[in-house]
Amino acid sequence: CFAVLFIGMGVDFGIQFVLRYQEESVGAAARSVALLAAARGVGGALILAAAGAAISFFAFVPTSYKGLAQLGVISSCSMAIALIANLTLLPALLARLPAPKPRAARTVVAHQGPGFVERQRRPILVVSSLLAVGSLAVMPMVQFDLNPLNLKDPGSAAVRAFKDLASAPGASPYTIHVLAPTLAAADTAAARLSKLPVVDKAVTLSSYVASDQTEKLEIIDGMRLALGALMDSTPESPPTLPEERAAIDAFADALAATDIAQPELAAAAARLQHALAALHARADWPAGAVPVVRSMLIGDLPRTLDRLRGLLDAEAFDASALPADIHQRYVAADGRARIELFPTEDLNDNAAMRRFAGEVQAVEPAATGAPVELVAGSKAVIASCIKASVGALLLTLLMHIVVLRGVVDALLVSAPLVLAMLLTVATAVVFDFPFNFANIIALPLLIGLNNAYGAYLVVRRQHASGVESLLESSTPRAVMFSGLTAIASFGTLGVSKHPGMAGMGILIAISLGYAILCALLMLPALMSALERRVEHSRPAGQG
């Protein structure tokens, strides 16, 4: 996602500069004058936005999520590259291109935007406050999908097969492993762990050794006596084709000579005689037809009888007689033994996986395995993203307080960003769009992406005569075009065949949409309300 991120942020800087250049070109005596005015007018805002984004991305570095930390380093450096390119290469290119066509000093947005925000500032702020409160209320219901299998194509045969296995308690690949110092200790622990409601069975090397062997061998001896005559009467070599043909013919003759009194049985015998006659009438009789009949009637009976003879020759055995691969799977060379725990529930369900890992670890804290790793990994990723998000917000807020020389302006920059993030989380809850290992990095990324919009507007407001003058400038249009470009950029991820990447693209696109609305509606309305409050607080007659 880095390439998409870089495109979105790099184009943002370029749009801000170009639209400011167009604005300064109105009435400018020379192109160089317009370029210099654009650089002076928007350069500070670009530096502030780039610095804020870089600080936001650097906040990822101390986290334990290595992928997020590496992305933070790459993205932070890319912001410096994008800023330098847009303050050097872009003006040079503009200097070689034809001058912008003359534009009216007031745009369509200027005629519509200020009046609307001024008139509707109170409803806008009330709705924004309600949305913020509602988003905070549903935030505890946020879900995290810790199953990485859900990031893959659900229609593929491999994914379907894996999920089928995970739904079967006795065959689930999601097992938990516990180490014991000896096999005897492992057997004792397995007996204790198997009593947990979340454990279907606890397997050790001893599980492959039959219990009550004396009693079972006596049963096998009895079976050998009962089936001995059958086993001995089985011919050592299969009959030849002429012998099989003769047997079929003899059976057909005996069936025809038999007088059957019961009507149903007689009807069945008649159908069988008809089938035998049709068999004799086949063109491939007997060379082709007899093997078909043999396969249908006998199947693998000879091999089954051979296996049965082998089973009837069973003897007592212990763990030392098990195959080497099984022994090595459960007992190490130093004597330590592994316990393999199978779940009772379908671990395709995240809640079931958390219960399985949690209850086992409550008894055996050193337990490991895929369920334990996924649950612990999800906690680490969530903690990393929260840490990065909070750190990025605090660091950028401090930077804005210092650079903008005021707490109020710094809070104004952060206001649309915070509301956009709250709305993004609320949307994920309402539409049952859980976060996962891929799309959760969208939240800290959004701080770096959305932080710039508020910075552009607040910096421009400091040099304007009021909110109305701000909204008449090119800055709101630049913010809107930048946001739409970023939405289009990240929206391309939404059509990715990788469900995790597609989900991240959709989530970021939604959040960027919220960021644009908050920056162009809520932030100007908040600025306007603060202006009115300052005006009312001034003594009468003071300008």
Side-chain angles (χ1 to χ4, degrees):
C1 66
F2 164 74
V4 178
L5 168 68
F6 186 72
I7 292 172
M9 291 297 293
V11 172
D12 172 48
F13 296 160
I15 290 175
Q16 295 292 331
F17 191 96
V18 170
L19 288 184
R20 186 60 178 266
Y21 168 57
Q22 288 184 344
E23 180 183 340
E24 297 294 343
S25 296
V26 178
R31 184 184 312 170
S32 59
V33 175
L35 282 171
L36 185 58
R40 287 174 174 172
V42 80
L46 292 183
I47 294 173
L48 184 62
I55 290 175
S56 299
F57 295 142
F58 265 123
F60 305 166
V61 176
T63 65
S64 57
Y65 190 3
K66 188 174 182 179
L68 192 62
Q70 292 176 346
L71 180 63
V73 174
I74 297 173
S75 302
S76 299
C77 296
S78 74
M79 291 302 98
I81 296 171
L83 177 65
I84 294 172
N86 280 280
L87 292 181
T88 55
L89 178 61
L90 179 59
L93 292 173
L94 291 174
R96 305 301 301 173
L97 294 174
K101 294 180 180 180
R103 293 175 178 269
R106 293 173 63 86
T107 64
V108 175
V109 174
H111 291 301
Q112 297 177 354
F116 175 79
V117 173
E118 287 288 337
R119 293 192 307 270
Q120 306 296 332
R121 65 180 181 280
R122 289 183 179 177
I124 291 174
L125 294 177
V126 169
V127 171
S128 300
S129 301
L130 293 176
L131 289 175
V133 172
S135 299
L136 288 171
V138 302
M139 189 169 290
M141 294 184 285
V142 173
Q143 297 294 322
F144 184 87
D145 185 0
L146 55 84
N147 192 344
L149 200 66
N150 294 333
L151 300 181
K152 303 184 181 298
D153 182 8
S156 67
V159 172
R160 292 199 307 270
F162 194 95
K163 287 188 174 182
D164 288 342
L165 287 174
S167 64
S172 177
Y174 289 126
T175 57
I176 292 181
H177 314 294
V178 177
L179 283 181
T182 63
L183 180 58
D187 292 336
T188 302
R192 182 179 72 255
L193 291 169
S194 62
K195 297 178 181 179
L196 293 176
V198 294
V199 176
D200 178 68
K201 60 182 177 181
V203 178
T204 66
L205 182 66
S206 301
S207 302
Y208 291 85
V209 179
S211 59
D212 303 325
Q213 292 191 30
T214 302
E215 179 182 350
K216 292 175 180 178
L217 287 173
E218 292 176 355
I219 296 174
I220 292 175
D221 288 338
M223 294 175 62
R224 186 187 298 113
L225 292 174
L227 299 176
L230 175 62
M231 298 293 101
D232 296 338
S233 64
T234 304
E236 295 183 357
S237 59
T240 63
L241 180 62
E243 292 174 339
E244 289 179 317
R245 177 182 179 180
I248 294 175
D249 291 340
F251 175 74
D253 294 340
L255 182 62
T258 302
D259 185 17
I260 302 176
Q262 298 180 4
E264 294 181 358
L265 190 57
R271 290 194 300 272
L272 182 54
Q273 285 180 304
H274 178 74
L276 290 172
L279 183 66
H280 281 78
R282 284 172 58 109
D284 59 349
W285 172 264
V290 169
V292 174
V293 174
R294 181 198 314 131
S295 175
M296 294 174 62
L297 294 179
I298 299 177
D300 63 346
L301 179 61
R303 290 189 296 273
T304 301
L305 292 176
D306 289 339
R307 289 196 297 270
L308 182 58
R309 291 191 192 95
L311 294 174
L312 291 177
D313 290 334
E315 297 178 354
F317 72 99
D318 56 18
S320 62
L322 293 173
D325 60 334
I326 295 179
H327 196 280
Q328 293 169 0
R329 226 185 304 163
Y330 288 93
V331 177
D334 59 4
R336 288 178 299 164
R338 179 171 69 96
I339 309 167
E340 188 174 18
L341 305 177
F342 288 82
T344 56
E345 298 180 276
D346 179 3
L347 293 199
N348 289 312
D349 179 57
N350 290 317
M353 186 175 293
R354 289 189 177 94
R355 283 193 297 271
F356 184 42
E359 294 191 24
V360 171
Q361 283 191 295
V363 179
E364 292 287 347
T368 185
V372 174
E373 293 165 5
L374 290 175
V375 172
S378 67
K379 293 179 180 178
V381 169
I382 293 171
S384 296
C385 287
I386 293 175
K387 182 179 179 180
S389 299
V390 173
L393 285 172
L394 292 177
L395 289 174
T396 53
L397 181 62
L398 290 175
M399 182 193 69
H400 290 145
I401 291 174
V402 174
V403 175
L404 299 176
R405 300 177 182 179
V407 176
V408 174
D409 283 345
L411 293 175
L412 287 175
V413 173
S414 302
L417 165 63
V418 173
L419 180 57
M421 292 187 67
L422 290 176
L423 292 175
T424 301
V425 174
T427 300
V429 173
V430 172
F431 290 95
D432 193 20
F433 194 77
F435 291 98
N436 52 50
F437 286 107
N439 65 20
I440 195 171
I441 69 172
L443 293 180
L445 276 178
L446 289 171
I447 298 176
L449 288 169
N450 298 348
N451 185 69
Y453 301 149
Y456 295 143
L457 293 169
V458 171
V459 171
R460 189 62 186 269
R461 168 65 184 82
Q462 288 184 338
H463 299 86
S465 58
V467 175
E468 184 174 354
S469 176
L470 164 67
L471 295 176
E472 290 176 355
S473 69
S474 63
T475 303
R477 285 190 299 120
V479 169
M480 181 180 67
F481 293 151
S482 297
L484 293 177
T485 303
I487 289 175
S489 180
F490 281 97
T492 59
L493 295 177
V495 297
S496 171
K497 293 183 179 180
H498 189 288
M501 192 68 72
M504 182 174 64
I506 293 172
L507 192 67
I508 293 180
I510 291 173
S511 183
L512 287 171
Y514 285 137
I516 295 175
L517 291 175
C518 294
L520 297 181
L521 289 178
M522 187 269 285
L523 181 56
L526 191 56
M527 290 178 177
S528 178
L530 290 175
E531 278 187 1
R532 294 298 181 93
R533 183 175 180 179
V534 171
E535 290 176 359
H536 291 316
S537 64
R538 290 176 180 171
Q542 184 176 350

